[in-house]
Structures are given as C-alpha cells and as structure tokens.
Amino acid sequence: MNKPASVPEQVDAVVVGAGFSGLYMLYRLRQIGLSVKAFDSAGDVGGTWYWNRYPGARCDIATPDYTYSFDPELEKEWTWSEKYATQPEILDYLRFVADRYGLRSDIEFSTAVTSARWDEHEKRWTVTTGHGEEIRCRYYIMATGCLSVPKSPDIEGAGRFAGPVYFTSRWPHEGVDFTGQRVAVIGTGSSGIQSIPLIARQASQLTVFQRTPNFSIPAHNGPAPADRLQQLDEDRDGYRHDARWSRIGVPSEPTDVLGVTASEAVRRERFEAAWQQGELVGIVSVFADQLLNPASNDIVAEMIRAKIRSIVKDPGTAETLCPKDHYFGTKRPCLDTGYFDTYNLPHVRLVDLRKQPIVSITEDGIETADESFGFDAIVYATGFDAMTGALVAADVTGRDSLSLKEKWAAGPSTYLGLMTAGFPNFFMLTGPGSPSVLSNMAVSIEQHVDWVAGCLKDMREEGLDTIEPTELAESGWNQHVQDCAAITLMPTANSWYMGANVPGKPRVFLPYIGGVDGYRQACDDVAGQGYLGFRMTGPGREQCRDGVIRRMQPDVAMVLELIATMDLPPMETLSADDARALMAATAATRPPGPEVGEVTDGVIPGPAGDLPYRLYRPAGSSEGPRPLVVYFHGGGWVLGNLDSDDPLCRDLCERSGAVIVSVNYRHAPEVRFPAAALDAFAAVQWADANAIELGGIPGQLSVAGWSAGANIAAVACQLARDAGGPHISGQMLICPVADSDMTRPSYQENGDGYILTTALMRWFWDHYADPADRRDPRAAPLRGDLQGLPPACIVAADFDPLRDEGVAYARALEDAGVPVRLTRARGHTHTSVTMVGVVISGAPVRAEIGEALRDFFPSVESRERVS
Ligand code: FAD
Ligand code: NAP
C-alpha cells in the first residue's frame, strides 16, 4: 500500500485520538524528543467537541476549570465567554491549542486506527489504519476517549424509520432545523437533558421517551464565575495545584457535615446553596456521607424531587420526572437550562417507557405498548459504550496473540487505568480504573499524559525501552478499584459507570472513585517506588519491583488518616485508667450500631464476685428460643467493657439471629492472669445452665470474642473440654491473641501505624501476665492440647500484628482435626472489622462472621429455610 507522505514507516509513538488527551499527549511526547504520529477518525481536532454538536451541548464543569493548565501563557491567551461554554466555543479552543503548538502537522485526520499488533521479537507495535496504511512504533497510546463510541440503538425496528434519524453524539455539522416538525427524543441523560429544551423551541410537537428519570440541577449559566476568576488571577499556580489535589479536579473545601446528623436547617441551607451555585462539585458534596449512606443520600434526592415537583405543573408528569430507582449521584447527575420547565409547554409530552415500553420503531414513528406515535424525525440521545468501547473497538493484540477484547471479556483489567499486562508499551489515557469520568477530565487527562511522558523519559534515561505491568500489581489495582466502589452506593445503579447501559456488557464498576487526589498520589507512589508493579526491560537489562500499591481498604485508610490528625498519645504511654478514659471518649462518638429486638443488662455469679452481662435478643426472637453466643469484648485484658463492644454485639446479634450474651470480666492490672480466662469459663457454664431463662436453646451455645476476648473465648473452649462440659457448638475468634510469641512476621510488618501496635501488645501482656505464665495454654491457647475442641471460625486481618498467630491457631486446630473456617479480613486492621457503621468495608467480613455463627447451629439455618 502506498502511504501518504505524511505517514512515516516508523515513529517512536503512535497516538490515537486528537481530543483533549491526544493533543496534549502529542505535545508532551514531542517535548521529550520522541517522534510521534497521531490519528483520528474525525475530520479535525476536538474529540468529544468535534462529534457532539447537538443543540445545547455544553460542558458541565465550569470553564475556568475545564481547560488545559500546562502552560500559563496559553491560559492568558484564551478567555472563556461563559461559565459553561458551548460546544462550538470548546471546539474553537481545541483548534486554537492545536494551531498554537503546531500540532496538526503530526495528525492524520479522517483516519481510523483499525488494529495494533505487538511484535515481541522487534519490541514494536504495528498499527494499521482504515485506509490500509501501516506504521510501526515503540509506544502505542490510545487517547480514544471514554465517551466516544455511541451505543448502537438497541430498540426493535431501529433501522425501519423512513425519516431522518439523529444521534446527539454524531450530530450533522450543518445543524438541524426542526421547525414545524413532530420530533421524538429517546433518552434523558445529559445529552437529552441539554438538547430537549432547544429542540422544543423549534419542533411543533416534541415527545420525550424516558426510560429512567435523571437528577438534574439548574446550571445557572452566565459569565464565568467571578470568584474562580479572581482566585486564578491572584494565584494561578495555587489554584491549579488545589485542583490537582482535590477530590474531583475542581478546588473545593471538603465538608464534614453528615446528612444523617445535620439539623433540618443546616440540610436545607447547604442544599439551597448548592442548588443556587449550579455546579456538580457542590451538589455532589452537600453532605460528606451522601454517596455512602442511603439515608443521607435520600435527603438530597428528596430535596431535588421537591424542586422538580415545584417546577413541573402537571403532577403526573412531575412524578414521572422524579428519579426514584437510583441513589443521587450513582448515575451522572446533569446540569440543565430550563429542562424541567420544558414539560410545561403545551406541545411537549413525556412518555414513561417503564409503563409504556417501546414495542418497535416503525416506518413513520414509534409504537409503544399502548399507542402509536407518528414522527418526522427521531433523535437518539441514548449514550455511549463508555470507557471500554473505543479501546476494544480497535483490534489491539498483545503478546501471545491475545487481543484486548478477549482479555477483557469479563470486564477490563488495568494497572492504574494506564496499562494492562500482556500488552507491553501500550498506554491508555483515562482508561478504566482511573478517575476519568468521575472527575474534571481536563485535570485527569493532564495528569495521565504527564505521568506517561515522565515514565517514558525516565525509561530512556535508564536505558529501558519496554514497560508492562505485572499480574500481581494489576490484580491488586483492580481489587482496589472495586473496593473503593464497594463502600459507596455507586454499584447499586444500572449506570454506564457499571457498563449496565450496554446489553451483554460485564457489570463492573469502571472508573476509579478514590479521588483525583488519591489517584495522583498512587501514581506518584508507583513512580517514586521505582515503578512498583511494572516490569521494564532494555538492551541487556530488566528491572521489576513487584508489588501492590494499595492493599488497605479505602475506608480503613481514611480512618487511620483521621486518627493521625488527632495527635493522640500512644496508649502504652498512659496509665491503665487514662487509657480506659481515652477508649471511652472515642467510643462515645461512634454510631450506635443496628437496632436489635431487645437489650437487657444483668449479672452473672463469677468465681470471685458478680460479672455484669448485656443480653441482645434479635428482632423476632419472641417467637421462640434462639441459640446462645457468649461474647467477650476486646481490649488486651486491660481495657473495654460492655459498652465498648456494644455496636459489634448488636451487629452480630442481627447477623447471626442468635441471643448474644456479652460478658464483662475482671481486668488487669488490678486482677491478673488467669482471672479473665476463669471468668470466661464461669460465664459459659452459667449461660449453659440458664439457657432457657436467657431465651436460648439448651445445648446450642457458642463462644465468641474479639482480640483478648477471643483469647479467653478460646481458652474457655479448652477448659470446657477438659472439664467434660458444657458442650460448645463453635468458637468465633475475631483477631485473637492466640500466643505470646511476638516474633512472628506480622509483628514486624504491622507493628506500627495500625492502631494496635507491637508496643501496645507488649504493654497489654505486661499488665496481664508474668513472663513465666505467658506460655500457659490459659494465656496462649495455641500452646494447649487442641484435640476435641469445638469447630472454629478465625478472623485474621491483613494489617494486624496478631494476624500470623491467628492463622497459626487456625492451622494448628486443623492439624488437630478441628473443623476450621479461616476468614481473611482483606485490607483490614485489628480494629477496623469491629467498627460498625464507621468502616463500611468491614460489613462483608461481619456478614461472613454472622454466617459462620449460624453454621455453628445448623438447626437455625434449617428452621429459617423452612420458614
Ligand atoms: P475524546 O474527546 O472522546 O477524543 C477521542 C478521539 O479519539 C475522538 O476524536 C475519536 O474520533 C478518536 N478515536 C477513537 N477511536 C479511534 C480509532 N480507533 N481511530 C481513530 N480515532 C479514534 N468531561 C468533563 O470533564 N467536563 C465536561 O463538561 C464534559 N462534558 C462532556 C459533554 C459531552 C457531550 C460528552 C460526550 C462528554 C463530556 N465530557 C466532559 C467528557 C469528555 O469526553 C472529556 O472531557 C474529554 O473531552 C475527553 O477527551 P479525550 O481526548 O480523552 O477523548
Ligand atoms: P447517557 O447518560 O447514557 O443517557 C442515555 C439515555 O438514553 C438514558 O436516559 C438511557 O436510559 C436512555 N436509553 C439508552 N438506551 C435506551 C433504550 N434502548 N430505550 C430507551 N432509552 C434508552 O448518555 P448521554 O446523555 O449521552 O451522556 C453520557 C455522558 O456524557 C454523561 O453522563 C456525561 O458524562 C457526558 N455528557 C456530559 C454533558 C454535559 O453536560 N457536559 C452532556 C452530555 C454528555 P437508562 O438511563 O434507562 O439507561
């Protein structure tokens, strides 16, 4: 094939796409001295802003923020006319940028890249275009956009309509005049919501087909926000720095106001301020917990619904426009200009596809289950195959002939959203697993491009020329991306973030929700740690520091950061009384834990006096007796009481369906070893003897405990076996102290920085037991005879100094023939699993604990299965 002179045989890098990402990538690659060729199937630069020319198309991030910031001179030379610029103005801006830096000479327009194939021998990519040209390159960079492949119409009869059909994402350059026409718009996402008011101005009849109503707030467009412009004028660098280290790429003060605890006045005031501001950054952060807590989310959602009802005059239409099937923010919220008012116009009609689904598009209109509509034109505002669509549309084939499409059949897998294993030297800009669409993309794009350019420069300086993530690093990042999403409400929606808008697309949360700031830090950390998780090679050398960049659960990390800001004294430097007071003070600010059926306090006759207990009866247990769980709180035998573990006990009660009897025991240093263990055994004996009075089922009794409480629970099992009873059905040991040997690796790895420290553990032991006693099985159950003990469930947390002794106890029990379930609390600390209502990621672990407790009592399961 003859190549146009403008397409060389070989370059250092090929960039696909000439939108915001591709243009800046081209600029940066040239800057570091690489030869580059870029391709775009569009006829000019602009990407999104080239294609999406529908009436009303604008940005929804204010223009002072939705702009390049890499060159202060460029910023001075361009002035935006509006707060939210129109598509033509943004396209003009990108053309201006292309011209200013002379970028066009390296871009081949109207040229689609159809395939790219890695040659392992040559360490080069061969890129093929739709015109049949081939070009070889060392680095292949897809700047192909998250929202660039329109979703194909998945509606019966879509090809049959005889009149004109328009896609918002492929709008005719010459525009469309709907004057006097009967127009249908299908879709009420951002594109529909922006275009509907303007189409309504021309059309003689406008019918909007809505499948899912969307949350939208007024954009209050006008001049660019004066406060932002002033901040930029005064300190441009500071402003841009704040944007780069903000949550969504727009400088803003994070709030700590919680929707669930704020007063009605504060709620209203914060909501109204956000409504008036007309910016996404405001409305998505009315409350700190609105994307985490359904109750808080509902406060914002209900206030938006009230606004919709106040704008739309027809109550039925208003109700149909009120989103009720997803939490606010779990689908991209919209900014609009007169959207809801449009439904007050006499010639505009809303059709609710949930009640009246489309049966088929016909030659002259649309047929629903109830009605036939005739139209002159149909507009599809039906969205995109987002985030992965463009990446898999081109046939990208990596090592061993594996295609990206095949690799991602069950969902995308990336390291940092930038690269994917098996595809050396292949970079994605704003790929799945990066903040991209959850952020001001101008900021995220610059960060990605800068990182890639910095990486290629570093490689060259080190004499390296190939780079690829390791499987370990990639799977660790994928896990982290999903962990971050899992603590939010995001995965609950059928959104394009979840791939749910495209039939057959795997349901995976696609972007990274850990924040622009958190993400930037992770990327910086990777580079700073010698490109952790990347394998890099060059002539005669290879470098690879394998590892996972974020292993901790995101909310656990947040709690640790918060605690660090409190500057608390290390507990082991305090007296026992002061440590108890500190623990009580922090406990007083916690959420209370779930409601249970009934809570009563009482006392148990212990070996040396009464022991207080608190009994938790699950809801509905008045209908009949339940199994009993005798629970012992944590606190290193020194701290803790019935209140300290109250939220956890409530949680376990509800999850297990058992009656929980939480027993306090004598504490050290006032009363030392073996008092706590003997109290625990006495409590078990008493509970067994009084099972009926406690609402329990005789013979169905388990023990449970956390930390030192798990230690004495385990010891109680050994004592009961030795004494010939009572019969214990199971032992639930959450992060147990199983041994007194503090030389296991977890004491080094997790010895500092995760609340329970090695120093504090030593302090606990010193208060509890003399060194000579610490090998006694009643202090270190791992050293006892383990034959014939009850089935166990042991929870071991990754970031716990006690992790390894918990695992060792599980293994030793197994070796002794005891059935054991070992639950790894991935990404958790010693304390985080127990932080009910604070650490959301602890809930799935506690769900497993609840399930294991139920399994100790098979009759409960079978009874509930029957009911
Ligand atoms: P794109 O702009 O999508 O450019 C990708 C380019 O790659 C396209 O031109 C495409 O033709 C080309 N391409 C793809 N595959 C191939 C191939 N195989 N061969 C050749 N060329 C190919 N984000 C915000 O942050 N704020 C906003 O206000 C905002 N508003 C938006 C409004 C609309 C209507 C849409 C659709 C998106 C909006 N976005 C917004 C997201 C927007 O996509 C990004 O802000 C940004 O423009 C993306 O730039 P990009 O260069 O990464 O991708
Ligand atoms: P979208 O948000 O995915 O909305 C598509 C709409 O079409 C939804 O209402 C969807 O309903 C509906 N739909 C899809 N298939 C349908 C079918 N078969 N039958 C009936 N209805 C169907 O797409 P978009 O509006 O183009 O926006 C995509 C993203 O681009 C936005 O979220 C935003 O990030 C960006 N964008 C930004 C702006 C801006 O304001 N700057 C403007 C446009 C786009 P369901 O919800 O039920 O699937």
Side-chain angles (χ1 to χ4, degrees), residues 49 52 54 57-61 147 151 153-155 168 186-194 209-212 214 331-332 334-335 353-354 358 381-384 437 494 496-497 501:
W49 305 103
N52 292 263
Y54 59 85
R58 294 174 184 274
C59 55
D60 60 4
I61 296 284
L147 296 159
K151 195 180 85 137
D154 48 353
I155 302 176
T168 49
I186 304 173
T188 50
S190 303
S191 303
I193 282 177
Q194 281 189 330
F209 291 86
Q210 170 191 279
R211 188 163 67 184
T212 310
N214 235 319
K331 285 185 152 207
R332 170 89 168 195
C334 308
L335 294 187
L353 296 181
R354 301 273 178 216
I358 295 178
T382 43
F384 300 87
V437 292
N494 287 323
W496 58 259
Y497 299 134
N501 65 328

Side-chain angles (χ1 to χ4, degrees), residues 362-373:
T362 61
E363 273 185 16
D364 54 6
I366 294 178
E367 209 171 287
T368 67
D370 302 347
E371 257 176 283
S372 287
F373 296 83

Side-chain angles (χ1 to χ4, degrees), residues 294-340:
S296 172
N297 190 285
D298 208 43
I299 296 165
V300 182
E302 194 44 45
M303 287 182 180
I304 299 178
R305 288 190 283 262
K307 291 281 189 192
I308 297 171
R309 290 180 188 117
S310 75
I311 298 168
V312 180
K313 297 204 174 88
D314 174 55
T317 307
E319 228 32 59
T320 308
L321 287 165
C322 283
K324 289 171 201 142
D325 77 337
H326 62 279
Y327 292 109
F328 172 67
T330 57
K331 285 185 152 207
R332 170 89 168 195
C334 308
L335 294 187
D336 73 87
T337 302
Y339 175 65
F340 293 114

Side-chain angles (χ1 to χ4, degrees), residues 244-245 414-419 427-431 433-436 443-452 454-455 458 467 477 480 512 514-534 548-550:
R244 290 178 191 127
W245 289 98
T414 72
Y415 186 31
L416 301 169
L418 277 163
M419 297 196 83
F427 294 90
M428 294 159 267
L429 300 183
T430 67
S434 75
S436 58
V443 168
S444 288
I445 285 168
E446 283 193 335
Q447 185 270 343
H448 255 196
V449 170
D450 289 341
W451 194 95
V452 172
C455 167
D458 288 347
I467 175 167
W477 183 255
H480 177 60
Y512 176 64
V516 164
D517 48 356
Y519 177 76
R520 181 179 289 270
Q521 190 62 61
C523 290
D524 288 357
D525 289 351
V526 164
Q529 292 174 36
Y531 289 95
L532 179 78
F534 283 107
V548 172
I549 190 67
R550 293 286 181 266

Side-chain angles (χ1 to χ4, degrees), residues 2 157 212 321 458 569 622 706 719 751 753:
N2 284 338
T212 310
L321 287 165
D458 288 347
S622 53
W706 167 52
L719 297 177

